[in-house]
């Protein structure tokens, strides 16, 4: 009869609900603006771009909060950023936002923004958020706990005239942004099963930029905003996980070859080869405890104190940095070890202060593997392409490759040079980061559950032509949910 459920189905349903907790894993499609191996790039220009970012990366933290960070330089071919699309507002509008593991807040440009770029040299259309045209938009008042939270930076302000929670951020390179916080609907795709993706949404708080200055005003590398993936309360990861919408973990696999691209998952990518290292506690960034470096299996003579974490030292995983930066105590032994191994078969040379080589054969057959060894017994194995950058061919058919690691004082930063072509899992619940070498053009297994008991996650297939998110294979638990839903519908029409 219509509206009545068979007793056995009720028992199954009640038992199922009592023992199960399922999260949605949200998926965002990544696009690489410019390939990292773009020929003709100058390392000193890349270093200048990263220096601007690092000046901002290490300043202005209060209470462990990560400030907004803006990457880029005056030359768009040196940006090397990854970005994704998010949908905000009702009706939803699409925004291209830079992926940044070095900041917490999602912010986009307001339609009334002053000095904001109106066009972009990245080949994307810029959009502007208009709260007045969204039926679900709301302002964040001064009395809101989000505005008065101790985790906010001293840049958080409040206007007594408008009762609007606002912010102002000034960066080390002279660029800046100011605006106000709004609440509105974020739309995303939730994985339910094979070829079954639910259109989901959640109310979140994000920034609306009303003014920009300095480097942010340049059109050649302009995007609609920044998508911060830090651990702060205002990060989208924290907001969604606090309400049980997604697990407090995200993953990415950034493709380094060709046109780039990759996969970003608000959930956990599962891969048998992933190794984990614990995060250094009470740090504003994703700090890991690097303990040693080996080249061709031989440990380099580096004092472990060179990697110790402090206010001005440590090892940071940062997707916003193009190159990789090694403290001098590690850089010099590393280059010396590589030179000793390859010198019989290649021609070492110095180009504009960089250690380079003329190579007539494949670098993978000539240069050694390197291992970065972290706390917990986790090693990050780097292929030659993970620490070398190609700079075109010279006369005689030889190719010039240069060491992509840069010598610095203080902080070791693992940027896109070493993050690319690897799965990275940021497990904020267990306070650890995991990684594994991987072909990021292939599909990945994604966990959509809150428990390790259900490890047969759905498979995300990425088309080689469009890299659009396509297929997911059902979890055993999700199969039960889906079939039960079908049964209930059929009984309703009996």
């Amino acid at each position: 009869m219509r509206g009545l459920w068979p007793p056995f189905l009720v028992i199954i349903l009640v038992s199922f609900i009592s023992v199960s907790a399922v999260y949605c894993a949200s998926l965002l499609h990544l696009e690489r603006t410019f390939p990292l191996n773009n020929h003709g790039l100058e390392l000193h220009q890349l270093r200048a771009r990263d220096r601007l970012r690092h000046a901002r990366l290490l300043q202005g933290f209060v209470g462990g909060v990560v400030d907004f960070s803006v990457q880029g330089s005056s030359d768009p071919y040196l940006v090397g950023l990854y970005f994704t699309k998010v949908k905000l507002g009702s009706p939803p509008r699409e925004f291209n936002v830079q992926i940044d593991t070095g900041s917490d807040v999602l912010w986009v440009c307001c339609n009334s923004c002053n000095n904001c770029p109106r066009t972009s040299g990245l080949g994307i259309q810029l959009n502007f958020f208009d709260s007045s045209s969204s039926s679900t938009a709301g302002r964040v008042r001064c009395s809101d706990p989000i505005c008065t939270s101790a985790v906010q930076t001293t840049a958080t302000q409040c206007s007594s005239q408008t009762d609007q929670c606002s912010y102002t951020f000034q960066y080390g390179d002279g660029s800046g942004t100011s605006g106000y916080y709004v609440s509105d609907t974020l739309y995303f795709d939730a994985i339910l099963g094979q070829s079954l993706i639910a259109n989901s949404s959640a109310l979140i708080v994000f920034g609306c930029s009303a003014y920009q200055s300095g480097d942010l005003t340049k059109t050649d590398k302009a995007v609609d905003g920044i998508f911060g993936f830090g651990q702060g309360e205002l990060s989208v990861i924290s907001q969604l996980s606090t309400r049980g919408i997604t697990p407090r973990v995200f993953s990415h696999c950034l493709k380094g070859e060709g046109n780039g691209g990759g996969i970003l998952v608000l959930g956990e990518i599962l891969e048998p080869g992933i190794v984990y290292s614990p995060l250094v506690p009470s740090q504003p960034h994703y700090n890991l405890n690097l303990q040693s470096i080996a080249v061709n299996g031989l440990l380099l003579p580096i004092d472990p104190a060179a990697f110790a974490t402090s206010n001005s030292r440590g090892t940071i995983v940062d997707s916003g940095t193009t190159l990789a930066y090694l403290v001098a105590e590690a850089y010099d032994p590393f280059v010396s070890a590589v030179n000793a191994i390859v010198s019989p078969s290649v021609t070492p040379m110095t180009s504009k202060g960089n250690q380079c080589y003329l190579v007539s054969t494949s670098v993978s057959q000539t240069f050694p593997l390197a291992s970065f060894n972290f706390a917990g017994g986790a090693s990050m194995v780097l292929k030659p392409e993970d620490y070398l950058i190609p700079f075109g061919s010279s006369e005689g058919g030889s190719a010039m490759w240069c060491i992509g690691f840069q010598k610095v004082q203080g902080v070791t930063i693992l940027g896109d040079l070493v993050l690319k072509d690897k799965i990275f899992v940021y497990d904020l619940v267990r306070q650890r980061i995991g990684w594994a070498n991987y072909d990021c053009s292939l599909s990945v297994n994604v966990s959509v559950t809150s428990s390790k008991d259900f490890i047969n996650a759905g498979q995300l297939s990425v088309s080689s032509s469009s890299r659009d998110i396509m297929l997911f294979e059902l979890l055993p638990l999700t199969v039960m949910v889906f079939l039960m839903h079908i049964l209930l519908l059929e009984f309703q029409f009996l």
Side-chain angles (χ1 to χ4, degrees):
M1 292 187 300
R2 188 172 183 176
L4 296 180
W5 296 355
F8 76 89
L9 192 56
V10 174
I11 293 173
I12 293 175
L13 181 60
V14 173
S15 301
F16 174 76
I17 294 175
S18 65
V19 298
S20 302
V22 181
Y23 288 106
C24 296
S26 303
L27 297 156
L28 300 168
H29 172 56
L30 286 182
E31 298 178 19
R32 180 65 178 269
T33 309
F34 299 103
L36 186 60
N37 61 350
N38 200 359
H39 296 291
L41 306 187
E42 298 291 349
L43 281 178
H44 76 276
Q45 294 173 295
L46 286 174
R47 287 198 300 268
R49 165 241 182 264
D50 283 337
R51 277 198 301 270
L52 295 181
R53 171 180 175 79
H54 299 160
R56 302 187 297 266
L57 190 70
L58 300 175
Q59 71 173 6
F61 301 115
V62 178
V65 172
V66 182
D67 201 353
F68 292 133
S69 48
V70 180
Q71 68 173 1
S73 69
S74 59
D75 189 337
Y77 291 96
L78 308 178
V79 175
L81 65 87
Y82 290 89
F83 65 94
T84 188
K85 299 179 187 295
V86 295
K87 293 181 180 179
L88 299 167
S90 300
R93 296 200 66 186
E94 195 170 67
F95 299 89
N96 292 290
V97 286
Q98 176 189 340
I99 303 301
D100 185 14
T101 61
S103 65
D104 291 319
V105 178
L106 166 65
W107 65 267
V108 295
C109 293
C110 291
N111 64 323
S112 59
C113 183
N114 293 321
N115 290 348
C116 290
R118 299 290 164 172
T119 60
S120 174
L122 305 183
I124 59 176
Q125 177 181 345
L126 297 182
N127 291 314
F128 299 86
F129 182 78
D130 184 2
S131 59
S132 64
S133 65
S134 174
S135 62
T136 51
R139 64 179 179 178
V140 178
R141 298 180 181 272
C142 294
S143 58
D144 194 294
I146 290 176
C147 192
T148 59
S149 173
V151 302
Q152 290 303 302
T153 70
T154 54
T156 300
Q157 305 167 346
C158 209
S159 171
S160 58
Q161 294 180 342
T162 62
D163 193 22
Q164 183 87 44
C165 186
S166 60
Y167 58 84
T168 298
F169 297 96
Q170 189 68 34
Y171 302 111
D173 63 348
S175 66
T177 177
S178 61
Y180 53 89
Y181 292 115
V182 297
S183 64
D184 209 340
T185 305
L186 168 71
Y187 297 86
F188 52 90
D189 293 329
I191 308 169
L192 295 182
Q194 184 175 7
S195 301
L196 183 60
I197 305 176
N199 294 324
S200 302
S201 63
L203 194 67
I204 66 166
V205 172
F206 57 94
C208 194
S209 177
Y211 176 80
Q212 294 180 13
S213 63
D215 200 48
L216 287 175
T217 65
K218 298 185 182 301
T219 60
D220 48 8
K221 56 185 177 299
V223 290
D224 295 322
I226 303 292
F227 198 167
F229 277 84
Q231 303 183 62
E233 291 183 13
L234 269 185
S235 72
V236 172
I237 288 294
S238 295
Q239 292 189 59
L240 296 182
S241 62
T242 298
R243 282 173 277 171
I245 298 174
T246 63
R248 197 160 184 257
V249 56
F250 69 96
S251 313
H252 62 63
C253 193
L254 307 177
K255 188 172 180 291
E257 299 300 324
N259 293 325
I263 301 167
L264 172 66
V265 182
L266 303 187
E268 181 181 6
I269 293 179
L270 301 176
E271 173 66 23
I274 292 180
V275 295
Y276 286 89
S277 183
L279 286 167
V280 179
S282 304
Q283 296 299 313
H285 301 292
Y286 292 115
N287 282 72
L288 293 175
N289 184 5
L290 177 61
Q291 297 178 328
S292 65
I293 299 176
V295 173
N296 233 15
L298 298 177
L299 287 177
L300 301 181
I302 304 172
D303 185 348
F307 303 123
T309 301
S310 66
N311 291 335
S312 59
R313 300 185 71 89
T315 301
I316 297 174
V317 177
D318 178 29
S319 65
T321 292
T322 301
L323 303 173
Y325 292 77
L326 281 180
V327 291
E329 299 93 325
Y331 177 87
D332 292 333
F334 178 83
V335 173
S336 296
V338 172
N339 288 344
I341 293 173
V342 303
S343 56
S345 55
V346 304
T347 304
M349 59 180 296
T350 301
S351 175
K352 298 180 180 180
N354 305 300
Q355 177 63 63
C356 301
Y357 309 89
L358 290 179
V359 186
S360 58
T361 58
S362 169
V363 294
S364 61
Q365 298 176 354
T366 306
F367 285 80
L369 295 176
S371 298
F372 280 43
N373 305 311
F374 294 86
S379 292
M380 185 182 298
V381 179
L382 304 184
K383 304 184 298 294
E385 294 84 356
D386 295 331
Y387 61 83
L388 294 171
I389 296 179
F391 278 82
S393 300
S394 63
E395 295 182 3
S398 296
M400 185 170 74
W401 291 75
C402 297
I403 296 287
F405 291 158
Q406 305 299 297
K407 183 193 297 189
V408 293
Q409 300 293 331
V411 180
T412 293
I413 300 178
L414 306 181
D416 290 343
L417 180 65
V418 298
L419 301 186
K420 64 180 174 63
D421 300 321
K422 296 178 183 65
I423 291 172
F424 267 82
V425 178
Y426 301 74
D427 188 342
L428 306 185
V429 175
R430 297 172 179 84
Q431 285 292 288
R432 62 181 187 171
I433 290 182
W435 59 83
N437 289 334
Y438 200 77
D439 181 349
C440 296
S441 64
L442 301 178
S443 60
V444 295
N445 293 321
V446 181
S447 171
V448 295
T449 71
S450 61
S451 171
K452 286 288 189 177
D453 294 339
F454 307 100
I455 61 173
N456 295 321
Q459 188 176 65
L460 168 62
S461 295
V462 182
S463 169
S464 59
S465 58
S466 65
R467 300 190 306 278
D468 291 329
I469 296 172
M470 294 288 196
L471 302 175
F472 299 92
E473 293 180 356
L474 289 169
L475 291 168
L477 181 58
T478 311
V479 174
M480 295 174 63
V481 176
F482 182 68
L483 292 178
M484 188 169 294
H485 177 68
I486 298 299
L487 286 173
L488 291 177
L489 290 177
E490 292 189 359
F491 276 112
Q492 285 180 340
F493 289 96
L494 288 178

